[in-house]
Amino acid sequence: MTFISVSSRLLSFLRRRRIGTSSCFQSLSIGVVHFHVNDNIAKPNSIPHSTHSIPNPHIKLQQYLVQKSKSGFDNLDDALAVFDKMLKLRPLPYDFHFNQLLTVLVKMKQYQVAVSLFQEMSSRKIDVDIITFNIAINCCCHSNRVDYAFSLLLSAFKRGFVPDVFTYTTLIRGLLSQHKSAEARLFFTNLIKLNELRPNVVTYSTMINGLCKTGHTQMAIWLFRFMGKSDCKPNTVTYNTVIDSLCQHGLVDDALILQSEMMEKGILPDVWTYSPLIQVLCKLNRWEELSLLLKQMIEDMNISPNVHTFTILVDAYAKSGKLDDAKQIIKIMNERGEYPNIVTYNSLMQAYCSQGQMDEALDVLSTIKSKKMMPNCYTYNILLDAYCRELKLDIAMVLYRNMECEGLSPTVVTHNILLHGLCQLGKTMEALAFFYKIQELGHKPDIIIYQTLFAGLCKSNYVDKALSFFQTMECNGLIPESKTYNIIICGCLWNKKYNEASKLLHKMVDCGFSADALTTSLLQQILTKVQDPTLLAMHQKCLQSGNYEQ
């Protein structure tokens, strides 16, 4: 069942029902905020009945579920065993007991299991409430089944339950998570028109956040302004969401205006207000504005940067070659008790490597280990790439072996760096051996790995081998990109394999790709010396396809 069909049925039902919404907001504020932070639905330790009226087995069950709501079950089988025992208890446990169990499953991210248990409860006619429906609806949305979530909403109506702000917020977030922003906006506005929803700040913030994350910034700003005209005013989180989205789209001036507006209205910014602004100002090298913003943040607003903010500054200074400033930031971090993390040190290491200061980069690695932090794959990839660029492949291989000794599984990027290094040094046979080793380790080569191998093979005049691997790659289900074709076509041209180059060029153009500048330049260069019919046909093909660069 599609969203449109369910939605139309739902709205038709709402128009006929015309029930007031005052009861939608009773005792919901805690639940909504709790869910917003921790993704929980029911408050685990809430008991809506007096313990004097609860049978002793139920009290023990309550205590057990409260404990599991904090620690979680060790495995799914334990949770299912508890559900089976609950079904056998007489009298049956209350609805809030079942809600607690379902909530624990949500914490375990066992969304489909929670929906299955909900269906089992329904088939056994076990009493449920709107919170139970909210849990099930939330799980459907997490499982990318927003259509079924809307079906559940209809079922809740038919059973006489009144959906609350949490129900609608969950559905809106479900639509946005599946990139159905237009449907989310339509649903939201229809609910307001029908007086079914009085959105609170969480509802607005959820929708604005979803719109921003799916790239609908302008629509998010429209809703933000709409919110400002309503009785529900934006808070710090709402402003932060829009400011962050504007910064991500490079609209820093608009973001700065919004931040000023926020302060004028008496809404206090926090560290998450300033962090995206700092990041985008660093990226644009607007150092003077950055300095003023940092002064406002630290001195005027008395907001201390956190590790994330400091890391942004370290990364920005490091990439700009301001290594002394980057090291000064790390010193300030330690003085303030905001200790650098692995991301901070990786940024500093990257800066040293980019300037060829490999001894200093290795010192950073030693510092990471001395701080009892674990280097990650990205840490080693930075070093491997730097040593391969300096053609110091022996050191790179030692570091690669160290990775494995430390229990780190090399990534596709790691292997591509080393494969490229071997090819750069003309060690073609070693590159082939390494390529086979990658596969033996269970890593499936991606298109980038193949492109690196093709370039190395063609450079060393092993074009036939490259063509063979090209066929293997296609048989393995990898679709060649424009770059893949151009690498091998150039290799064929250099090695005077004009027929093979022509076939690949025709295939490439038929796939909608273009001959790049290197390929067209090489073709023109050869044509000035060799008037081969095949080359002339390639030239004509490029002209006809409009891909030939004169």
Side-chain angles (χ1 to χ4, degrees), residues 339-363:
Y339 301 110
N341 58 22
I342 191 65
V343 179
T344 319
Y345 283 119
N346 283 349
S347 295
L348 185 62
M349 181 185 287
Q350 180 80 70
Y352 280 126
C353 288
S354 65
Q355 295 192 16
Q357 300 182 35
M358 298 310 301
D359 290 340
E360 288 80 357
L362 288 174
D363 286 342

Side-chain angles (χ1 to χ4, degrees), residues 358-424:
M358 298 310 301
D359 290 340
E360 288 80 357
L362 288 174
D363 286 342
V364 175
L365 180 63
S366 299
T367 301
I368 291 170
K369 293 180 178 180
S370 69
K371 300 284 186 182
K372 307 299 181 185
M373 282 189 281
M374 187 69 183
N376 56 25
C377 284
Y378 186 67
T379 313
Y380 277 102
N381 287 348
I382 292 168
L383 291 167
L384 292 174
D385 183 58
Y387 277 116
C388 285
R389 279 191 283 105
E390 293 195 358
L391 304 181
K392 296 179 179 178
L393 204 61
D394 51 342
I395 302 176
M397 285 298 181
V398 170
L399 288 168
Y400 174 71
R401 287 190 286 271
N402 286 348
M403 282 182 73
E404 296 177 319
C405 292
E406 291 176 10
L408 288 172
S409 297
T411 63
V412 171
V413 175
T414 313
H415 290 139
N416 192 56
I417 289 168
L418 292 170
L419 189 66
H420 185 262
L422 288 165
C423 291
Q424 283 290 99

Side-chain angles (χ1 to χ4, degrees), residues 148-281:
Y148 188 57
F150 274 92
S151 297
L152 283 178
L153 180 61
L154 280 169
S155 298
F157 277 129
K158 290 176 181 178
R159 293 185 63 171
F161 295 115
V162 180
D164 49 44
V165 68
F166 176 79
T167 318
Y168 292 127
T169 302
T170 303
L171 287 165
I172 289 168
R173 191 175 65 172
L175 287 168
L176 291 169
S177 69
Q178 292 188 37
H179 307 288
K180 299 178 182 291
S181 56
E183 291 92 333
R185 178 177 174 177
L186 177 64
F187 182 57
F188 177 79
T189 51
N190 278 328
L191 286 171
I192 293 175
K193 286 177 184 177
L194 292 170
N195 200 31
E196 282 294 326
L197 176 64
R198 293 176 186 171
N200 61 17
V201 69
V202 177
T203 314
Y204 275 112
S205 296
T206 297
M207 192 159 179
I208 289 169
N209 183 54
L211 288 168
C212 288
K213 284 185 176 179
T214 53
H216 296 87
T217 306
Q218 293 305 317
M219 195 181 294
I221 293 171
W222 169 84
L223 185 60
F224 176 77
R225 295 303 180 193
F226 179 85
M227 180 185 184
K229 296 174 184 177
S230 69
D231 295 333
C232 181
K233 301 302 180 185
N235 62 10
T236 302
V237 173
T238 321
Y239 271 98
N240 287 355
T241 301
V242 180
I243 288 171
D244 181 61
S245 183
L246 289 169
C247 289
Q248 287 187 30
H249 288 82
L251 303 171
V252 62
D253 294 321
D254 293 337
L256 288 167
I257 290 170
L258 197 59
Q259 187 250 353
S260 298
E261 174 192 306
M262 173 186 185
M263 296 176 68
E264 288 171 5
K265 292 185 176 181
I267 301 171
L268 295 178
D270 59 17
V271 67
W272 298 108
T273 313
Y274 285 98
S275 292
L277 291 166
I278 290 169
Q279 188 165 30
V280 72
L281 287 174

Side-chain angles (χ1 to χ4, degrees), residues 419-464:
L419 189 66
H420 185 262
L422 288 165
C423 291
Q424 283 290 99
L425 287 172
K427 297 185 176 183
T428 311
M429 292 299 105
E430 291 181 43
L432 278 172
F434 188 70
F435 177 78
Y436 291 127
K437 180 185 176 182
I438 292 170
Q439 294 173 301
E440 289 170 8
L441 291 171
H443 295 282
K444 188 177 179 180
D446 65 358
I447 194 72
I448 305 298
I449 292 269
Y450 273 107
Q451 285 172 181
T452 301
L453 182 65
F454 294 156
L457 290 170
C458 290
K459 181 181 178 182
S460 300
N461 300 323
Y462 289 97
V463 181
D464 290 335

Side-chain angles (χ1 to χ4, degrees), residues 64-351:
Y64 179 74
L65 290 173
V66 167
Q67 176 193 343
K68 289 302 174 184
S69 70
K70 298 174 182 176
S71 61
F73 289 98
D74 293 332
N75 54 65
L76 181 58
D77 289 339
D78 291 345
L80 296 176
V82 170
F83 181 73
D84 289 337
K85 289 178 182 178
M86 290 171 70
L87 294 178
K88 294 174 183 176
L89 282 176
R90 292 296 179 273
L92 278 171
Y94 293 106
D95 49 19
F96 68 85
H97 289 124
F98 285 102
N99 290 346
Q100 284 180 306
L101 178 61
L102 294 178
T103 301
V104 178
L105 288 171
V106 171
K107 279 187 173 181
M108 296 170 67
K109 301 188 185 304
Q110 295 289 344
Y111 305 119
Q112 294 183 15
V113 175
V115 172
S116 296
L117 297 192
F118 173 81
Q119 291 172 328
E120 178 73 11
M121 290 165 62
S122 299
S123 67
R124 290 173 178 264
K125 295 183 169 37
I126 295 172
D127 286 341
V128 296
D129 57 13
I130 190 60
I131 293 177
T132 324
F133 270 97
N134 285 347
I135 295 169
I137 287 169
N138 175 56
C139 290
C140 290
C141 291
H142 273 293
S143 302
N144 294 324
R145 289 305 307 270
V146 72
D147 53 342
Y148 188 57
F150 274 92
S151 297
L152 283 178
L153 180 61
L154 280 169
S155 298
F157 277 129
K158 290 176 181 178
R159 293 185 63 171
F161 295 115
V162 180
D164 49 44
V165 68
F166 176 79
T167 318
Y168 292 127
T169 302
T170 303
L171 287 165
I172 289 168
R173 191 175 65 172
L175 287 168
L176 291 169
S177 69
Q178 292 188 37
H179 307 288
K180 299 178 182 291
S181 56
E183 291 92 333
R185 178 177 174 177
L186 177 64
F187 182 57
F188 177 79
T189 51
N190 278 328
L191 286 171
I192 293 175
K193 286 177 184 177
L194 292 170
N195 200 31
E196 282 294 326
L197 176 64
R198 293 176 186 171
N200 61 17
V201 69
V202 177
T203 314
Y204 275 112
S205 296
T206 297
M207 192 159 179
I208 289 169
N209 183 54
L211 288 168
C212 288
K213 284 185 176 179
T214 53
H216 296 87
T217 306
Q218 293 305 317
M219 195 181 294
I221 293 171
W222 169 84
L223 185 60
F224 176 77
R225 295 303 180 193
F226 179 85
M227 180 185 184
K229 296 174 184 177
S230 69
D231 295 333
C232 181
K233 301 302 180 185
N235 62 10
T236 302
V237 173
T238 321
Y239 271 98
N240 287 355
T241 301
V242 180
I243 288 171
D244 181 61
S245 183
L246 289 169
C247 289
Q248 287 187 30
H249 288 82
L251 303 171
V252 62
D253 294 321
D254 293 337
L256 288 167
I257 290 170
L258 197 59
Q259 187 250 353
S260 298
E261 174 192 306
M262 173 186 185
M263 296 176 68
E264 288 171 5
K265 292 185 176 181
I267 301 171
L268 295 178
D270 59 17
V271 67
W272 298 108
T273 313
Y274 285 98
S275 292
L277 291 166
I278 290 169
Q279 188 165 30
V280 72
L281 287 174
C282 288
K283 186 178 179 180
L284 297 173
N285 295 321
R286 290 164 64 166
W287 303 110
E288 290 184 13
E289 290 170 270
L290 173 65
S291 179
L292 291 172
L293 192 70
L294 285 170
K295 180 181 180 299
Q296 181 193 87
M297 174 185 176
I298 298 169
E299 297 181 13
D300 301 341
M301 302 304 298
N302 197 29
I303 298 172
S304 179
N306 58 15
V307 174
H308 175 69
T309 317
F310 276 122
T311 300
I312 290 170
L313 291 168
V314 171
D315 185 63
Y317 286 130
K319 285 179 178 175
S320 300
K322 303 175 185 291
L323 275 169
D324 290 338
D325 290 328
K327 288 187 286 185
Q328 183 64 26
I329 293 293
I330 289 178
K331 181 181 177 182
I332 294 170
M333 288 180 73
N334 287 310
E335 290 171 353
R336 286 176 171 259
E338 294 285 352
Y339 301 110
N341 58 22
I342 191 65
V343 179
T344 319
Y345 283 119
N346 283 349
S347 295
L348 185 62
M349 181 185 287
Q350 180 80 70

